[in-house]
Amino acid sequence: MSQLHDLTVAQLAAKLRSRQVSAVEAARHFLARGARHEALGAYLATNEEVTLGQAEAADRQLEAGSAGPLTGVPIAHKDIFVTRDFPTTAGSRMLEGYLSPFDATVVSRLSQAGMVTLGKLNCDEYAMGSSNENSAFKPVKNPWDTSRIPGGSSGGSAVAVAARLAPAATGTDTGGSIRQPASFTGITGIKPTYGRASRYGMIAFASSLDQAGPMARTAEDCALLLSAICGPDPDRDSTSLDVPAEDFSRSLDASIEGLRIGVPREFFGAGLADDVRAVIDAALQQYQKLGARLVEISLPRTELSIPVYYIIAPAEASSNLSRFDGVKFGHRARQYGDLLEMYKQTREEGFGDEVKRRIMIGTYVLSHGYYDAYYLQAQKIRRMIADDFRQAFTQCDVIAGPVAPTVAWKIGEKSDDPVANYLADIFTLPASLAGLPGMSLPAGSGAGDMPVGLQLIGNYFGEAKLLNAAHRFQQATDFHLRKPEGF
Amino acid sequence: MSKLIQGYEVVIGFETHTQLSTQSKIFSRAPTAFGAEPNTQAAPVDLALPGTLPVMNKGAVERAIEFGLAVNAAIAPRSVFARKNYFYPDLPKGYQISQYEIPVVQGGSVEFFLETGKGADAAREKKSVRLVRAHLEEDAGKSLHEDFVGMSGIDLNRAGTPLLEIVTEPDMRSSDEAVAYAKELHKIVTWIGICDGNMQEGSFRCDANVSVRKPGQPLGTRREIKNLNSFKFMQQAMDYEIRWQIEEIEDGRAIQQATVLFDPDTGETRAMRTKEDAADYRYFPDPDLPPLVVAPEWVERVRSQMAELPRVMAARFVGEYGLPEYDATTLTQSKAMAAYFEAAAKASGQPKLASNWIMGELSRRLNAGEGTIETVPVTAQTLGSLINRIADGTISNNAARQVFDALWSGEGRDVDAIIEASGLKQMNDSGALEKIIDDVIAANADNVAQFRAGKEKAFNALVGQAMKASKGKANPAQVNELLKKKLAG
Amino acid sequence: MSLNSEDISRIANLARLQLRPDESERMLTQINNFFDVVEQMRAVDTSGVEPLAHPVAAFQEVALRLRDDVASEVIDREANMRNAPAREAGLFLVPKVIE
């Protein structure tokens, strides 16, 4: 039998139900691995007592036969989700040691499904970043090459799964923060349609873009987890849609014969690195072998999505982060004169460079005299981008392309060039702006034998079809089974 | 033409924050009770704890719709919540959720009578103040300044209390008119029950935008007097501000736009410490809240469930009871007053007489502080039967006043009993009256002679004698008639 | 268009950030580099296009969900305030607020 940590969520769940392994054993095993590989920087908080307590409760359910499909399976949460039993920092000094009086809806839904929480995972500060170098506490290292970044902002989540420190993790995706690190670490991750998952308890970065989603090793696992995560939260989140929860596993095995896969020519321009291009081309050929049809489409405003996103997201962030003022919770400066100084000094000390940069950009584009030229203009082009997708989906069922122009880069390589980081988000931003579901699945390796992910973008509420297409791909390939040396 | 002060025309516009009488906050399920222990009425949403999101209270929207209907405004089918960004310790999120570009209530007007002049030249003018809008927003918390080791304490119980901010056009031309408007607005919101109207507790707070100009000139620079929470202070503050602005201009100093506070102790207004960037609120649509959609069916449902509005009721009083508009408006100052009038009018079948008595005898006593309309010792039915006795000639108006006194002081309960007991009945038995008149004629031969000689005065003297002899119970008209007959005969 | 150091200090003040001089310097260059990328966006003709504030509005009518007016929240002041940097007598403490 393969080792416990090599099992997928589905396999582990089966072993738990058949009592070949107990939830407590599983929990201990993964806690131990987390400790052994602490150097990766994936975890920000663990609490053995809490975790084992949950595991024991899960075992009782498993004994009683009242277990669900996820009961007893360990999971770890991105530290952007507030939790009652673990401190929540959002990767920021500002919130060091913060204890939330409530659990995020996503967290409580997964707990109710019987999952056992291993701890909180490192991420870019307030989910702002694509390399995880913006964590205030420590960088996260890519297990495929620890001199490289794991991607971000859900870098800790991606590494925990890739390095087998957890069978699955939650992530959040605002402009690609699930898809890009999944691609860089060779795992599978999905961001649902905006409004599918409750945002309650997810520390807000950009309210009109933030979505939670699962990160795991297979599409099958993602389907299981997504079914537990999604569903209306009418009492807590006004942006949560009145769309009933779905069983996303139902059509995993359905044939994709005749599936029309749209290939946006703008995703294959000069900016795309050859090694990545080769992997994506091969993946598309694989889909043809599986009976899918490739359709060339156009998303003419792909490049515009960068300025549009980097105006809208910082604008919303500048306002969302105003509550961090040293009054009700979080850091307060030691040295200050009057109230104004207290604010300024507290926020200066509490926020990192990238967060301050985005607060500055967002404050500027909303400020008097600039709103129409920047924020409003961006919101208009945002609609045009959404319309481009609507047009595209008249010709295809799903859209496929690269997640990122390159493989994971070296730690420090771009850290003093924020704009370079922004430009690297080009392929994940359009779906985010349109509120569409998107995912990344392992499709091979590029330069330095680093993983390369294939991005699939679905139509609104098309998650089941995405997962079906991804699952069929994974039935025919083994990229998702590869694991980094020494893990 | 509005009256001028030292040749200046006063221009006033109002912004009124009315706390809506909901059970829970506008965006959270925390209670809205006043005066609780600090921060015991504040949910995580109200404290802006990380991860919290706003969820809109239907009751607040319903109340906004009711107000819109009450002032003949348009209810926007789609309105938008925006974020007003600024840092302040009583503003937990660092922004206030408020309606900016598209408010839920648009337009409308408030009508009222303005009493002008005193005594002889007392007059009343009908006024109408146009509303620009009324929008929903959340209240802020409170900074408590009593010293905590050199710091301020923040209580967020009030944070998130639903507010309807009602904004007028700069239509008012005197502090009297502005106060009259405020009183009328207060009447409307309490009448329809969307606000408890408690000004001490801050449920009804007014900001007055005051400026002055020479007639015909463009609007002058305005100063905004914040948080006026009593009609008395309102008047004092505006009067002081008007005098101050005129003096400044007369002394050749230009008015600087400012936000000022009124200090009841000094009776003066003073400019608030200005936040240099206060102007740049960086409004943008709140991405946490989709647009507020109000379907026409909802508006109609609310309309059908609303109590009769003061102005509708007043119009009905004019039509149904033939009252003058002024009577009708005065009687609809409060629901209780209006109900009292309708009962008295029905009991007596004499609406105008009922109105006169309520606006006269009754109001005089109430204004003199002798109880409230809810607790008057004389029920509407009783007043009704009293009015009947005047109408059917049983008692004179003077006698009726004595009866009313007795009823008020509690000497008696039943109108007829009091009339009997104090013998106020008019003498309508012509036999007894003829006897009296015969005696008077016999006893005053000289007056009779003078009358016959054409001296009208003499006749009045005889009438007086007769009334005196009847101890005032005789019906004067009857006395006249009989005397004429007998003297002629 | 490009920003100058006055813009930076004005915005920093609006955003309540006490930027160090060297930080402001760097911020100015980086933000101006960013606005070079933004230029292409300003040129786009968007006349007659309705701004998209809620992504869902791109594919279905969105309307604010309203909850019934019930004060059902159970408030645990201690849990809600335990992260406060300074508090006393159930109040959050801040440097004197002058109006």
Side-chain angles (χ1 to χ4, degrees), chain A residues 12-314:
Chain A
L12 182 53
K15 281 206 176 337
L16 285 158
R17 272 197 304 282
S18 61
R19 313 302 287 130
Q20 290 167 264
V21 57
S22 77
V24 169
E25 287 172 71
R28 285 192 192 283
H29 181 80
F30 283 102
L31 285 176
R33 283 189 63 83
R36 187 172 330 134
H37 299 291
E38 209 186 342
L40 290 173
Y43 279 96
L44 287 179
T46 53
N47 182 329
E48 186 170 354
E49 195 184 325
V50 168
T51 301
L52 294 182
Q54 293 180 7
E56 283 155 12
D59 279 326
R60 284 192 292 278
Q61 280 195 319
L62 287 156
E63 277 308 327
S66 60
L70 292 169
T71 306
V73 178
I75 189 167
H77 297 299
K78 185 179 184 179
D79 206 25
I80 210 80
F81 294 96
V82 299
T83 44
R84 228 197 247 97
D85 298 328
F86 301 83
T88 304
T89 68
S92 180
R93 288 252 170 264
M94 185 63 92
L95 274 183
E96 200 163 3
Y98 177 76
L99 290 170
S100 173
F102 62 92
D103 280 333
T105 297
V106 165
V107 170
S108 47
R109 285 182 75 108
L110 291 171
S111 305
Q112 276 150 30
M115 296 196 84
V116 175
T117 310
L118 292 169
K120 303 298 287 294
L121 297 166
N122 203 349
C123 58
D124 282 305
E125 185 175 10
Y126 292 102
M128 297 180 190
S130 47
S131 69
N132 220 115
E133 289 163 296
N134 299 333
S135 164
F137 303 105
K138 50 187 173 183
V140 181
K141 299 191 172 99
N142 193 319
W144 295 88
D145 173 352
T146 54
S147 72
R148 293 176 186 266
I149 57 103
S153 66
S154 309
S157 305
V159 168
V161 174
R164 279 46 175 176
L165 312 184
T170 53
T172 62
D173 190 311
T174 303
S177 287
I178 286 176
R179 291 162 285 165
Q180 184 254 22
S183 170
F184 284 5
T185 57
I187 65 163
T188 308
I190 182 167
K191 159 212 178 296
T193 305
Y194 180 88
R196 274 271 206 189
S198 172
R199 293 175 41 238
Y200 182 69
M202 235 173 82
I203 296 177
F205 158 18
S207 310
S208 75
L209 293 150
D210 297 343
Q211 266 298 290
M215 301 173 79
R217 297 219 302 281
T218 66
E220 181 189 20
D221 287 358
C222 284
L224 273 172
L225 294 160
L226 192 65
S227 305
I229 287 171
C230 292
D233 191 9
D235 294 347
R236 296 294 184 192
D237 175 7
S238 302
T239 64
S240 143
L241 299 173
D242 295 310
V243 182
E246 250 182 69
D247 171 12
F248 294 107
S249 309
R250 68 180 186 284
S251 53
L252 280 176
D253 296 310
S255 156
I256 56 168
E257 188 70 45
L259 181 79
R260 297 172 305 162
I261 298 180
V263 182
R265 74 175 70 90
E266 293 79 4
F267 279 39
F268 294 82
L272 182 62
D274 295 341
D275 59 328
V276 177
R277 183 191 305 270
V279 170
I280 302 303
D281 287 344
L284 293 174
Q285 282 163 28
Q286 177 64 50
Y287 264 114
Q288 284 177 301
K289 288 206 203 89
L290 293 169
R293 246 177 54 232
L294 302 186
V295 186
E296 184 179 346
I297 59 163
S298 173
L299 296 171
R301 296 173 182 84
T302 297
E303 209 171 318
L304 280 171
S305 65
I306 296 166
V308 168
Y309 173 89
Y310 278 99
I311 288 203
I312 292 171

Side-chain angles (χ1 to χ4, degrees), chain C residues 6 23 51 79 91:
Chain C
E6 286 72 42
E23 221 179 346
L91 297 161

